[in-house]
Every structure is written in C-alpha cells, then in structure tokens.
Amino acid sequence: MNRDPFIEGDPASATSQFKVNLSGRYKIDRIFEIATWAAVCISLLVLAALVVDVLVDGLPRLNWSFLTSFPSRKPEEAGILPAFAGTLWVMVIIAVLSFPLGVGAGIFLEEFSQDNWLARTIEININNLAGVPSIIYGLLGLQVFVRIFEPVTGGRSVLSGALTLVLLVLPIIIVATREALRSIPDSLRLAGFALGATRWQVVREQILPLALPGILTGTILALSRAIGETAPLITIGALTFIPYLPDNLQSPFTTLPIQVYNWVSRPQKEFHDTAAAGIIVLMVVLLLMNATAVFLRNKFQKRF
Amino acid sequence: MISDFSDPAQLTNTAVLKAENVNVYYGSNLAVRDVSLDIPRNKVVAFIGPSGCGKSTILRCFNRMNDLIPGARVDGTITFHDRNLYSKALDPVEIRRRIGMVFQKPNPFPKSIYENIAFGARINGYQGDMDELVESSLRKAAIWEEVKDKLKESGLALSGGQQQRLCIARAIAISPEVILMDEPCSALDPISTLRVEELIHELKQQYTIVIVTHNMQQASRVSDLTAFYNAEATEKGNKIGYLVEYDNTQSIFHNPQQQATQDYVSGRFG
C-alpha cells in the first residue's frame, strides 16, 4: 500500500475503513492537469496557424493605398476603403440603437418585471433568439427592413443592414445585461429600498454602476459578433462592389467581411492575398474593440 | 404612562406600531399566523424564538419589505400611528424612510463612507447641510471617531462591526422614527456586538427599536419588552410561526406565563 507513513496512531489505519491512496489520487490530478493543458495548447496552435497563414499572405499587400483605395478589377489596385467605411457606419448605428434598447430591456426584465408567465415566456424566447442562425435574421431583415420599410430605410441600405444586425445582437446584449445585473447581490437592493429609495433610484445609483463593466463587456462582445457577420448582410443584398462611400443612412454599402468573401471567391490567386490583407484589417478592428472592452471594464471596476 | 409597562394594556396608549391578527403567507403557505402586538414608543422590543418561527417575517411586515418578496401576502391589520400601514393611502417608499432597517449581514454600499450616509438623504430630498448630516449620523452611531479621517474611503474597507455601525448611521441619517434590526449582531464578534448593543441603548432615547435576535443574553441585555415566537410543523412539512408570549423582558426571562417560553429561555429547547 502507498500509505502516508509519517502520521502514527491514525485510528483509521487500525480499522482500515479508509483507503487513503494518496499517490493514486495525485496521479489522477496530474492526468487531468495535462489533459487541460493539452486542450489549451491545441486551441492556441490552431489559432496561431491561422494568424500566421493570414499574415504571410496578407502583410505584403497591406499598405496605405490598400486602406485608401476603392475595389478594382485589378487585384494590385484593389482597396478596402468602402468596406472599412461601411463597417464603421454599420457598427456606429448598431451601437447607438442596440445599447439603449438591449440594456433597457435587460433592466426591465431583471429589475422591474414581475415573475409571471409573460415574463417567463419573454425570457425563454430571448434566450432562444440568442441562438437563432444569423441567416434567419437576414431573411427577416430582407422582408421587413428592405421591402416593407423601404420608404424609410431606402431598401438595400446601410440602415437596413444595421437594423438587421441590431436584431441579431439585441438578445445577446439583453442576456449579458441580465447576467451582469443578477451578479449584484440582493443585499444592496434591500439596503436601498430600506432607505426609502424607489426602484429606479436603487437601480440607477447602486446597481447600474456596479453592473456597468459587465454590461459594457457584453455589449462590445456582441458588437464584435456583428462586425464579422456576412450571411445576413448578403441576404438583404449588401453590394460587393461599390466605388463610393456611404454618405447617408440610405446609401448602399458593403462591409469588411463581405468584401473579403467577395475577394476569396474570385479565381485569381492575387485576390486571395488581397482577401488576407482584408482579414488583417478586420482582425485589427476586432482586437481594438475587445481591447476597449477590457479597458472599460478595468476603468469602471477600479473605483472600489 | 411611558415609564411602566408591567401592565401590557397600557402599551396601546403609546404604541407606534400595532399588529392585529396578522397572518403572513408566502404563496399559498401560511408562514406566520395570528400575531397581535404593540410596539411602544422609545422602547427596545426584542423578537426571540427558534429558526423559522416568523420573527424576521413579522419584522419585515413593519416596513413593507415583504412587498419585495414575490408571492408574499399580509392580512390582518398593521398600523403605524393608528394609520393602516397596508392601505393604499400610505406609500411603501415613504414608510421605509420613517421605519428604517438594519440587516443581518452588514451591507454597506460599495462606495465611500460619506456616500453611504448621503445616499438615503439625497434620494429623499434632504435640503440641509450634507456634511453636517453625515457627521451627526456617524456620531450618533458611535463610529465618527473611527472614520472621520477617511470619509472618502470605501465603506467596505471597514471591519464587520464598523460596517454594521455604518449601516445603522445610514439608517438614522434619514430621521426615521423606528429602526428595525434583523439579527444585527449575528455576523459580528463579541466585542463588536457589545459596541452595537451599547449603541442600541443610546439610540432608544430617540428611536423606537425592534430587534430580532437568536441571542437570548442579547435580548435580556438590550430590550425592554420581549416577544417569544414559536413554530409548529404542519402535516405538509412546512412550519407555521406564532406569537407565544409578549411581555416586558424581565417577566419573559424570569417569570414567563407559558411553559414553552420557560423551556426556551432556560435553554431546554431551541
């Protein structure tokens, strides 16, 4: 037996009701440590391989004129400017619309609504909506925003695209907001109510400031998902070749992932390298957004 | 009239809070049945009894904190200065300003000590000098000397006992008449407990205090009157609490009328 020998007079050893078996338990510990470590390594390796591959193909194409040029039939002259501008337009509209709507809905569901069948139905539906494939939202956007609301949105416009993606990210923001609010201990709400605060005073003064880092992180992660979406935008008919920049909400537009998708699907090898350069731009924007999320979280959490 | 409570009938004359035949339900379960008692002005009333006997539930009825628990329902009558606490005419938010509460676990806001005190005053539209109010509240709660140099620091940086006195200071900053305390010392060490008890003694000059406690020595030390609650199990397995005996603390501990009270205060059960 691999018994630990240094504790004499252990009453359990006399009756031997316990098989301590330390070495065996440590062995299992070790096996799982290695297994989890291997899981980390494999995922990092895959990611590293992808990044290296993209960088090798794309970096030589990446220069100032690539960022400031319009698409072209000639791969060496093709640029990313309209797609970059389109992505900025879309992201700003999404952020402006989805943040107040999503956070507001989250606050209502978590802090104000009664726990009845209606609230539970809404909750189940929102959780399900967060998992609906994005192409479905594309079809909805095509019918509702492009066709029915054409007088407002101007059809296949940057506004229609952004509204479609707002639908896509809203459930994610609502769920993130609720999680953030739920993580604030109830004792603080009770303390607020016991001082004669109304519900909104408790939420605004005590709960929201504490939940804000989590809400912001969730929102930016949702926006990060929106920035990479291609399928719903193609469904509503975002153009893949536009030689001008969007200048109002009803302008036709394209976005980075659509542009990349367009270049990849061309036969010429040179366009594939151009696509890689586009992916680098997309990744940098994405990393910047995630960095903002981390920055905001740290900034707001430092207060106490 | 205020000084002598040997005759319980006299209590009604100075009662701030009055409960008559109060039943509390959670969903369809009866949690506490048929509680009637008066809380006289400027006295400390202790609620004692085994777990699940409904003493905290009754306490939360007095400032309508039970409203916040889904499915909770109160019937019977609770009056505050002879006005029905549960009538539509009285607003729970206003009631909670006049009937403050201190919780079992110290729960200061994760903000500065100053902000902890100022919050309640600000939301209730306090018009006076805020610095003065913060100082006088902290003084009344016997914590001013310890925190006067660090008002801008987090309330969470204080020790557990200091946090609880900060919570008491926060409660008295909005000038309540009654302070409800739900086992305020159960998370504190004996020295902190003693300081809170001394504080309760001072506060009763100005406030009416109802304190729930599991500590019978505490009840006998701090209270003028004691209510003993007990619980009975139903066939379905849940407990229904009820008021066994309510009298001045001396009588409850030394000459109780009920056998159950005698058994409980002498430590024979519970």
Side-chain angles (χ1 to χ4, degrees), chain B residues 38-241:
Chain B
D38 293 349
I39 310 290
R41 183 193 301 275
N42 292 55
K43 293 287 163 188
V44 178
V45 176
F47 286 3
I48 61 171
S51 298
C53 67
K55 52 197 188 304
S56 293
T57 301
I58 292 294
L59 190 77
R60 283 197 301 267
C61 289
F62 287 140
N63 65 346
R64 294 190 60 173
M65 289 296 271
N66 276 339
D67 293 16
L68 303 169
I69 300 172
R73 188 162 58 80
V74 177
D75 65 32
T77 317
I78 300 177
T79 56
F80 177 49
H81 292 299
D82 295 326
R83 295 186 64 191
N84 186 352
L85 205 58
Y86 281 78
S87 79
K88 286 249 178 349
L90 287 187
D91 190 288
V93 168
E94 172 62 8
I95 287 168
R96 292 184 199 123
R97 187 190 68 73
R98 298 179 62 178
I99 304 176
M101 190 163 204
V102 175
F103 295 85
Q104 181 170 5
K105 202 167 153 270
N107 55 355
F109 299 120
K111 296 185 168 188
S112 70
I113 292 168
Y114 186 98
E115 256 308 300
N116 263 282
I117 309 290
F119 170 72
R122 201 174 58 239
I123 57 168
N124 284 296
Y126 178 67
Q127 299 293 315
D129 183 337
M130 192 62 86
D131 292 355
E132 228 165 70
L133 178 73
V134 169
E135 178 174 343
S136 71
S137 304
L138 290 168
R139 277 191 195 282
K140 278 186 208 160
I143 192 178
W144 171 252
E145 291 302 324
E146 292 153 71
V147 302
K148 63 181 175 188
D149 298 322
K150 44 182 182 181
L151 293 178
K152 296 281 170 243
E153 286 172 36
S154 171
L156 294 177
L158 300 171
S159 74
Q162 289 173 324
Q163 287 187 14
Q164 195 62 298
R165 277 179 286 140
L166 177 64
C167 290
I168 293 173
R170 179 175 74 182
I172 59 188
I174 51 176
S175 311
E177 289 163 62
V178 182
I179 303 173
L180 308 174
M181 299 186 173
D182 192 356
E183 298 183 45
C185 300
S186 64
L188 305 185
D189 66 72
I191 293 167
S192 305
T193 300
L194 199 65
R195 300 214 54 181
V196 172
E197 288 181 10
E198 287 166 0
L199 177 57
I200 292 171
H201 266 296
E202 284 167 34
L203 291 176
K204 81 173 185 188
Q205 315 297 325
Q206 244 185 308
Y207 306 97
T208 304
I209 295 171
V210 186
I211 178 171
V212 167
T213 177
H214 270 296
N215 180 335
M216 281 184 279
Q217 283 77 32
Q218 181 169 67
S220 65
R221 279 192 300 260
V222 302
S223 70
D224 303 299
L225 296 123
T226 297
F228 170 61
Y229 293 80
N230 204 348
E232 58 189 9
T234 62
E235 286 160 15
K236 282 191 285 176
N238 43 356
K239 282 183 182 172
I240 298 177

Side-chain angles (χ1 to χ4, degrees), chain A residues 71-93:
Chain A
S72 163
R73 231 164 282 136
K74 301 179 198 125
E76 63 274 12
E77 283 174 22
I80 199 108
L81 183 61
F84 190 67
T87 287
L88 282 186
W89 271 83
V90 169
M91 294 316 291
V92 168
I93 299 170

Side-chain angles (χ1 to χ4, degrees), chain A residues 7 184 269:
Chain A
I7 308 167
I184 310 301
K269 163 83 175 74

Side-chain angles (χ1 to χ4, degrees), chain A:
Chain A
M1 283 298 289
N2 294 312
R3 263 300 188 48
D4 189 7
F6 68 86
I7 308 167
E8 298 292 333
D10 176 2
S13 68
T15 58
S16 78
Q17 283 172 328
F18 290 93
K19 282 191 174 168
V20 178
N21 189 16
L22 269 184
S23 67
R25 282 152 64 192
Y26 277 126
K27 203 176 284 167
I28 294 173
D29 254 33
R30 188 94 186 109
I31 290 171
F32 273 89
E33 191 186 336
I34 293 171
T36 48
W37 180 80
V40 171
C41 284
I42 291 170
S43 17
L44 279 183
L45 271 177
V46 172
L47 189 65
L50 272 171
V51 170
V52 168
D53 185 49
V54 167
L55 288 180
V56 166
D57 288 347
L59 271 184
R61 272 297 281 115
L62 202 60
N63 53 39
W64 188 247
S65 77
F66 177 73
L67 293 175
T68 55
S69 304
F70 288 92
S72 163
R73 231 164 282 136
K74 301 179 198 125
E76 63 274 12
E77 283 174 22
I80 199 108
L81 183 61
F84 190 67
T87 287
L88 282 186
W89 271 83
V90 169
M91 294 316 291
V92 168
I93 299 170
I94 294 176
V96 166
L97 291 177
S98 66
F99 184 75
L101 280 179
V103 174
I107 291 173
F108 174 78
L109 290 172
E110 199 57 36
E111 305 287 340
F112 286 89
S113 78
Q114 302 287 319
D115 184 28
N116 53 26
W117 67 268
L118 182 67
R120 280 194 293 273
T121 312
I122 293 174
E123 177 170 354
I124 291 170
N125 276 299
I126 286 175
N127 289 339
N128 284 338
L129 282 177
V132 168
S134 57
I135 189 86
I136 310 286
Y137 287 103
L139 292 170
L140 179 70
L142 177 66
Q143 184 60 29
V144 175
F145 299 129
V146 175
R147 296 196 180 136
I148 298 176
F149 285 104
E150 190 181 359
V152 184
T153 60
R156 301 164 193 281
S157 65
V158 63
L159 182 60
S160 295
L163 286 172
T164 306
L165 292 182
V166 165
L167 293 184
L168 182 81
V169 300
L170 260 185
I172 307 174
I173 296 179
I174 294 172
V175 170
T177 302
R178 298 190 62 182
E179 292 294 331
L181 292 171
R182 209 173 298 164
S183 71
I184 310 301
D186 247 357
S187 62
L188 291 179
R189 292 183 183 86
L190 293 180
F193 288 128
L195 289 169
T198 61
R199 203 168 272 274
W200 171 237
Q201 283 174 324
V202 170
V203 170
R204 190 194 62 206
E205 302 246 0
Q206 305 300 345
I207 308 302
L208 262 190
L210 295 174
L212 200 58
I215 293 175
L216 287 175
T217 310
T219 304
I220 293 185
L221 291 181
L223 293 180
S224 305
R225 175 165 175 204
I227 202 175
E229 278 298 340
T230 324
L233 294 181
I234 291 179
T235 315
I236 69 154
L239 298 173
T240 51
F241 179 88
I242 44 170
Y244 49 84
L245 298 179
D247 56 3
N248 65 56
L249 292 176
Q250 298 190 339
S251 299
F253 72 108
T254 189
T255 64
L256 288 170
I258 297 178
Q259 187 66 68
V260 168
Y261 169 75
N262 173 257
W263 281 332
V264 166
S265 50
R266 299 214 188 177
Q268 300 97 316
K269 163 83 175 74
E270 292 77 7
F271 268 120
H272 297 170
D273 295 342
T274 314
I279 291 171
I280 295 173
V281 174
L282 184 58
M283 280 200 307
V284 169
V285 175
L286 199 63
L287 285 176
L288 280 177
M289 285 177 62
N290 286 342
T292 316
V294 173
F295 171 76
L296 288 173
R297 191 171 57 211
N298 292 343
K299 182 173 152 44
F300 283 105
Q301 267 173 351
K302 266 202 186 115
R303 293 201 301 190
F304 277 112

